[in-house]
Amino acid sequence: MEDLTNERTRQTMGQESTSSDSPHAATRRVAAVSCPALSAARLTLPGVMDADGRVDESRLRMHIFKNGGVSASERALVWHFLFGMYPCSSTALERSLLQEQLVVRYRVMKKKWQHVLPSAVRMHLNGTDAELVAAVRYFDHRQVQGQQQTQDQSEEVKDRLTFLELQAQILFERFTFDNEELLEAIRIIDKDVPRTNRDLSYYQGEGLGNLLVLRDILITYAAFHPDVSYAQGMNDLCSRFLEVLDSEVDTFWSFSCYMEKFAKDFRADGLHRKIELEAALLNELDAQLYAHLATDNMESFTFCHRWLLLGFQREFEHSDALRLFEILSCDHLELISQQVDRARYQERLSRKYSTEDSSESELQVINTDFTFELFICAAILIENRESLLQCRDDVQLIQFTSSLQGTLDLNSTLKKAEILFYNYCKRCAWDYMNVHCRTHKRKEEDFLYQLRSLFVLK
């Protein structure tokens, strides 16, 4: 555990000096419509990509976890695989064709809602926000440039894209919108987009036009995902993808893939589920602190949901928050749990064919709903337990948690979360093996050996 943390610290020290220097940091521009060159780009991470461009997903995720993220220069390409826009099993040639198809599909989707709701194509400005007026100008300039590039394409490319567009039109032909609900979503988007963190360097200069790119992405997503639509906080989450990928199309599809897994967290039932899980985990780790924060409706844990929903976006320095988002998205605890499940499966097999009495008590299992982000959250709470125990009402609690924004140290928090996770699993494994050994009286069971086998990832 300590060696892993030290390795991550050494690896990320070099990253931290350059993490704020994105490939497009020199001169801010409005994001490209797409980045076709990335489909053929190669990852330099050792052993991750083969000669044809296929990615070993397990190695990629383990590299991210062990090294505390990836360098800024490779982040955009890595995110295409990490969040599912590019299948890890795809070759470079296949990704080139996929990129064209996704560009055309997005264009058709965007045109469809713009045709149905022409009044919503432009953000309505009251003229008091001079920066937004400038953003519209930068955005319009990019539109003109894009049209010119389309005209300059060869006839062969135009024919191929025309065919793909016809396919996309057929695909979305029967899709209909609830205009009233979509207009309400757009109204909220138009309130939230200008509130996106405009202090980020990505939105400086002409980059301010990226706010309009962000708006189009969010509206297109809401239009074609009516079961999710738009909820507050999605603008900050999508902004993170746009900043890293610097591409409208790539951001839309990567964000959409991410939301397939986490859209439920933006609904009321998802909010309550996250809070209940965090409360349950804290009760396992620190019963006294849990008892202090717990209420009948768990309102005192509500601030944790914002942390979890946005991946601690505001609690760490910006470049560290990006690294943490990568680490959380590599599903570390889920990988560990797979190893645990395999070990238990072998135990069940051995019991099945054993002649000994199998009437043993139910064995405690690790709760795989306790994802690693919940341990990160618990680590922050426990690290600040004395201050939290002094909070007597929700006002004091909100004031204290707000004071943490931008102040937390990522490497230290990761180390504490890993220790909490390790000790939690060790306790579960200890209970499991104690029951197993008491039932079967197998003296050859060695706890340290068994525990090590659960945590060593191949």
Side-chain angles (χ1 to χ4, degrees), residues 138-156:
Y138 300 140
F139 179 73
D140 288 346
H141 180 61
R142 187 202 69 159
Q143 300 290 84
V144 173
Q145 288 181 322
Q147 292 171 2
Q148 183 60 49
Q149 290 173 356
T150 300
Q151 293 174 2
D152 293 340
Q153 290 172 339
S154 67
E155 290 302 320
E156 180 183 353

Side-chain angles (χ1 to χ4, degrees), residues 235-361:
N235 61 310
D236 288 323
L237 183 60
C238 190
S239 173
R240 174 178 281 165
F241 282 93
L242 183 58
E243 177 190 358
V244 169
L245 303 179
D246 199 33
S247 159
E248 182 174 354
V249 171
D250 298 21
T251 296
F252 172 81
W253 291 110
S254 297
F255 175 71
S256 297
C257 289
Y258 178 87
M259 291 297 291
E260 284 181 12
K261 184 176 181 181
F262 295 104
K264 60 183 181 297
D265 294 341
F266 285 87
R267 297 194 294 262
D269 56 340
L271 182 150
H272 294 308
R273 174 64 173 159
K274 282 280 190 184
I275 290 174
E276 289 172 355
L277 283 171
E278 186 58 49
L281 177 59
L282 186 63
N283 191 31
E284 292 263 4
L285 303 175
D286 192 327
Q288 181 187 7
L289 182 56
Y290 163 80
H292 177 73
L293 294 177
T295 59
D296 291 339
N297 53 12
M298 290 297 173
E299 284 186 357
S300 294
F301 281 91
T302 302
F303 67 89
C304 295
H305 183 259
R306 179 180 60 79
W307 289 359
L308 298 166
L309 189 68
L310 301 181
F312 308 92
Q313 187 170 5
R314 301 173 187 171
E315 282 58 52
F316 296 92
E317 190 273 329
H318 183 63
S319 61
D320 279 347
L322 286 178
R323 290 201 295 118
L324 178 57
F325 191 57
E326 289 173 345
I327 294 168
L328 294 177
S329 299
C330 76
D331 295 332
H332 165 61
L333 184 128
E334 286 77 1
L335 292 172
I336 293 285
S337 298
Q338 290 171 15
Q339 295 290 329
V340 173
D341 288 341
R342 279 196 287 271
R344 290 198 171 121
Y345 176 70
Q346 294 299 324
E347 290 289 341
R348 286 195 297 271
L349 282 182
S350 65
R351 272 186 254 131
K352 180 178 180 180
Y353 297 106
S354 173
T355 57
E356 299 179 37
D357 180 20
S358 61
S359 58
E360 57 189 84
S361 60

Side-chain angles (χ1 to χ4, degrees), residues 280-281 284-285 340-341 344 347-348 351 360-368 370 423-436 438-439 454:
L281 177 59
E284 292 263 4
L285 303 175
V340 173
D341 288 341
R344 290 198 171 121
E347 290 289 341
R348 286 195 297 271
R351 272 186 254 131
E360 57 189 84
S361 60
E362 186 68 25
L363 302 181
Q364 181 177 354
V365 297
I366 292 174
N367 187 346
T368 54
F370 289 162
N423 288 337
Y424 166 74
C425 291
K426 184 170 69 173
R427 187 175 69 250
C428 291
W430 176 263
D431 292 341
Y432 171 87
M433 291 170 193
N434 265 350
V435 172
H436 184 72
R438 284 199 307 271
T439 303
L454 295 181

Side-chain angles (χ1 to χ4, degrees), residues 3-216:
D3 291 342
L4 181 61
T5 304
N6 289 339
E7 178 184 358
R8 179 187 297 114
T9 303
R10 289 193 300 271
Q11 293 281 347
T12 55
M13 284 180 66
Q15 290 181 21
E16 289 171 352
S17 62
T18 60
S19 58
S20 60
D21 302 327
S22 67
H24 33 271
T27 305
R28 294 295 171 187
R29 294 283 187 267
V30 182
V33 174
S34 69
C35 296
L38 278 181
S39 63
R42 293 195 58 81
L43 290 171
T44 63
L45 310 181
V48 169
M49 181 177 279
D50 69 15
D52 293 322
R54 297 182 186 86
V55 168
D56 186 321
E57 184 174 5
S58 178
R59 286 178 179 269
L60 174 64
R61 292 179 182 275
M62 190 48 57
H63 177 93
I64 291 170
F65 176 74
K66 285 187 174 181
N67 295 282
V70 297
S71 65
S73 61
E74 291 204 287
R75 179 163 286 146
L77 181 55
V78 165
W79 280 31
H80 281 77
F81 295 104
L82 181 62
F83 294 104
M85 176 181 165
Y86 289 160
C88 288
S89 59
S90 63
T91 65
L93 178 59
E94 290 168 342
R95 289 194 291 274
S96 177
L97 299 174
L98 174 63
Q99 182 82 28
E100 279 190 344
Q101 184 182 63
L102 294 179
V103 169
V104 173
R105 284 191 178 185
Y106 175 77
R107 184 189 303 152
V108 169
M109 295 165 75
K110 184 174 168 181
K111 283 182 178 178
K112 188 174 179 68
W113 71 257
Q114 290 180 335
H115 176 74
V116 173
L117 298 174
S119 63
V121 173
R122 309 280 293 192
M123 178 185 284
H124 296 287
L125 305 175
N126 58 18
T128 59
D129 192 333
E131 287 187 340
L132 269 184
V133 174
V136 172
R137 187 169 65 251
Y138 300 140
F139 179 73
D140 288 346
H141 180 61
R142 187 202 69 159
Q143 300 290 84
V144 173
Q145 288 181 322
Q147 292 171 2
Q148 183 60 49
Q149 290 173 356
T150 300
Q151 293 174 2
D152 293 340
Q153 290 172 339
S154 67
E155 290 302 320
E156 180 183 353
V157 172
K158 287 181 180 179
D159 289 343
R160 185 167 67 250
L161 295 180
T162 299
F163 175 72
L164 290 174
E165 184 170 353
L166 179 60
Q167 284 185 320
Q169 288 172 348
I170 294 172
L171 180 64
F172 298 112
E173 181 181 8
R174 296 184 180 181
F175 195 96
T176 58
F177 305 123
D178 184 322
N179 291 2
E180 188 174 339
E181 289 190 1
L182 183 53
L183 283 172
E184 175 60 18
I186 293 173
R187 184 186 68 80
I188 302 173
I189 290 171
D190 283 351
K191 280 188 175 182
D192 283 359
V193 164
R195 297 172 182 167
T196 305
N197 188 358
R198 287 152 69 167
D199 292 332
L200 293 177
S201 61
Y202 188 70
Y203 295 111
Q204 300 300 309
E206 290 188 22
L208 192 60
N210 288 315
L211 289 175
L212 281 303
V213 178
L214 179 64
R215 176 183 186 265
D216 280 357

Side-chain angles (χ1 to χ4, degrees), residues 224-240:
F224 286 87
H225 298 81
D227 54 326
V228 182
S229 188
Y230 175 82
Q232 289 186 324
M234 286 185 186
N235 61 310
D236 288 323
L237 183 60
C238 190
S239 173
R240 174 178 281 165

